[in-house]
Amino acid sequence: MTSTAGGSCPVVPKHKHRRGSRRSSSLNTDPQALPALGYFQTLPLEIFQMVLNYLSVRDISMLSMVSKTISHHLINYISTPSGNRRLLWQDFHNHGLPDKREGSSILEHYKSLGLLLKRCTLLLPTKDRLKYIHKILSEVSCFKLIGCPSPLHCLGLQCYGVFLQILTAGWDELECHRVFNFLCELSNLPRKVQTVVSSKPGSARKLELRIRLYCRGVLLNHWLHRSDSAFWLTRILKPWPIVNQARLLYIIFGPVSSLDGHVVWQKMIEGPTDESSLRGLAEAIKLLYDTEAREWTADDVISLVDELSVVPREWLVENNARLLILSGNNICFTFMASKAVNGRTAELARLMVFLTLVCEKELYCMDWAVKMMQKVCKVFSTPGERNNFLQCVENTFAHMVIDMLQAVLSGDRDEEDSSFFTLFHLVNAQASFHKEVLYLTMRSTPSSSS
């Protein structure tokens, strides 16, 4: 009896140990033995998708990197009606927070969505990634070039732009070329651009506005690095002849009406304009002139600036001078030097006078204009050419003062009395310019001993 009990003692703990082993294997904490879905394997798909509703978009994008299987399930979830409703916010005309639980604006939401789709499609070829993403976003009308009925009051294109910026960040140029071509095919952008650049300026105002908003909102505004911005602007401009490039640049970056957002084509022709009307064009020109814009030479950019100054007709020289000043010293000097080299001395002298006028009006330092003239003088190959240029500058000052004085004395004044104020600024500009020249001369002249 005793021996029997004693013999049976080892049996009980051994039996319990085996039961414990079976329970341990059912939970299996060995990572290598877990299925691809991990503990989610035990959940029905419907419950798994319900869990996703409690995660932020960024959390879901982190989850997508756990395994290929989970990523595949997330791709399927995004394609479902419930996933679409959850992820594709479309309240682009209400700039509040569509979902305060997310704690972010709609732009931030689409950044997170771009990261999610970037990670979910990481293993797919670029072509397949773009097809899938288009399938997801194709029903969002505000993402289309001509889709939103009220584009000026819509954040749709900006959301699409930040989405694409996050999606394509780190992609090489070949892949980005494919993205641009894909977008052109979807939006029919080349054909629409062909329409506006070959039509009379302003005859297709609504289409001009749509192209401007699409190019800026989707392709240009959201890049962190100038090299990326230069790449996309180059993709937009380079397929076209330089005449069309200038027209397109004006459509995208030129002045617009504060009332309806349409491009104002007569702004540079009818009278002097302000810096705000030219700053976008100047920034685009500087972007193309940067060394990072590898597909553009200095001659390309200067030719574009020259062509731009006659869009849609020849600009007032004052507006041209203001654009050159805003574009920076290098572009301004290169533009003027090209006129000096090509023997366009009278044009150069007139431009020089208007540079001084803009400096006077905008309270820029006049010694900048004097130093610019000094640099330009060094471009001339002979003293005779240089002296001829200086004489042309003085003659231009004199002729402009006389013309302005005649306009004032004739009594033909508009409501703003612009002729009088132009004469006032021109005389002050001439005096200030010559004062700086005298200072420069006296500094370079050795003082005589007493």
Side-chain angles (χ1 to χ4, degrees), residues 232-283:
W232 291 98
L233 182 56
T234 299
R235 302 282 69 75
I236 294 169
L237 296 179
K238 270 297 184 179
W240 305 99
I242 189 167
V243 175
N244 292 344
Q245 287 178 8
R247 287 273 297 270
L248 189 52
L249 198 68
Y250 194 96
I251 288 171
I252 298 173
F253 296 104
V256 294
S257 167
S258 58
L259 298 176
D260 56 17
H262 292 134
V263 178
V264 183
W265 289 99
Q266 305 302 316
K267 186 81 169 180
M268 307 303 172
I269 302 165
E270 295 177 340
T273 189
D274 55 7
E275 286 188 11
S276 62
S277 298
L278 288 164
R279 193 168 298 281
L281 290 168
E283 290 300 322

Side-chain angles (χ1 to χ4, degrees), residues 391-406:
Q391 184 64 58
C392 282
V393 171
E394 292 305 312
N395 290 342
T396 302
F397 265 121
H399 290 154
M400 286 181 60
V401 168
I402 292 172
D403 290 343
M404 287 293 102
L405 184 59
Q406 287 178 340

Side-chain angles (χ1 to χ4, degrees), residues 79-332:
S79 304
T80 62
S82 60
N84 262 250
R85 285 192 300 272
R86 163 77 196 287
L87 298 174
L88 292 185
W89 293 358
Q90 297 191 42
D91 195 10
F92 301 115
H93 301 267
N94 179 1
H95 299 170
L97 299 180
D99 186 352
K100 294 183 180 179
R101 180 170 50 82
E102 291 286 343
S104 62
S105 69
I106 193 168
L107 287 170
E108 289 298 320
H109 172 81
Y110 273 95
K111 285 183 181 180
S112 300
L113 184 60
L115 186 61
L116 169 58
L117 290 178
K118 184 188 188 82
R119 288 170 171 172
C120 280
T121 61
L122 189 63
L123 300 178
L124 297 176
T126 300
K127 185 177 180 180
D128 293 339
R129 294 176 90 173
L130 294 175
K131 284 184 176 179
Y132 169 73
I133 290 165
H134 169 62
K135 179 182 176 183
I136 297 298
L137 304 181
S138 60
E139 299 304 316
V140 183
S141 60
C142 290
F143 286 173
K144 299 174 182 178
L145 194 151
I146 300 179
C148 178
S150 182
L152 281 176
H153 307 288
C154 179
L155 285 177
L157 293 179
Q158 295 182 52
C159 289
Y160 195 21
V162 298
F163 171 87
L164 286 173
Q165 187 265 322
I166 295 296
L167 176 73
T168 60
W171 291 17
D172 61 34
E173 283 196 3
L174 179 60
E175 290 176 313
C176 290
H177 272 279
R178 288 173 178 157
V179 173
F180 180 75
N181 293 336
F182 186 77
L183 292 173
C184 284
E185 183 179 346
L186 291 181
S187 62
N188 207 7
L189 181 63
R191 185 174 178 180
K192 291 177 171 60
V193 169
Q194 177 67 54
T195 299
V196 296
V197 298
S198 59
S199 304
K200 182 180 177 182
S203 62
R205 295 197 312 156
K206 291 183 179 180
L207 186 55
E208 290 169 357
L209 173 61
R210 296 281 186 171
I211 289 173
R212 178 189 178 97
L213 294 176
Y214 187 86
C215 289
R216 293 179 68 142
V218 176
L219 300 175
L220 297 174
N221 282 357
H222 308 290
W223 301 104
L224 302 178
H225 304 291
R226 291 180 64 81
S227 58
D228 292 324
S229 300
F231 171 84
W232 291 98
L233 182 56
T234 299
R235 302 282 69 75
I236 294 169
L237 296 179
K238 270 297 184 179
W240 305 99
I242 189 167
V243 175
N244 292 344
Q245 287 178 8
R247 287 273 297 270
L248 189 52
L249 198 68
Y250 194 96
I251 288 171
I252 298 173
F253 296 104
V256 294
S257 167
S258 58
L259 298 176
D260 56 17
H262 292 134
V263 178
V264 183
W265 289 99
Q266 305 302 316
K267 186 81 169 180
M268 307 303 172
I269 302 165
E270 295 177 340
T273 189
D274 55 7
E275 286 188 11
S276 62
S277 298
L278 288 164
R279 193 168 298 281
L281 290 168
E283 290 300 322
I285 291 166
K286 285 194 287 188
L287 191 66
L288 299 178
Y289 194 82
D290 282 352
T291 54
E292 292 179 334
R294 297 187 300 274
E295 297 175 61
W296 298 84
T297 65
D299 287 343
D300 290 338
V301 178
I302 297 307
S303 297
L304 182 58
V305 174
D306 208 16
E307 192 66 45
L308 184 64
S309 66
V310 294
V311 173
R313 298 192 306 279
E314 188 173 357
W315 290 11
L316 295 182
V317 182
E318 182 177 333
N319 292 334
N320 200 17
R322 185 172 274 102
L323 175 65
L324 289 174
I325 291 174
L326 293 174
S327 297
N329 290 354
N330 291 336
I331 293 172
C332 184

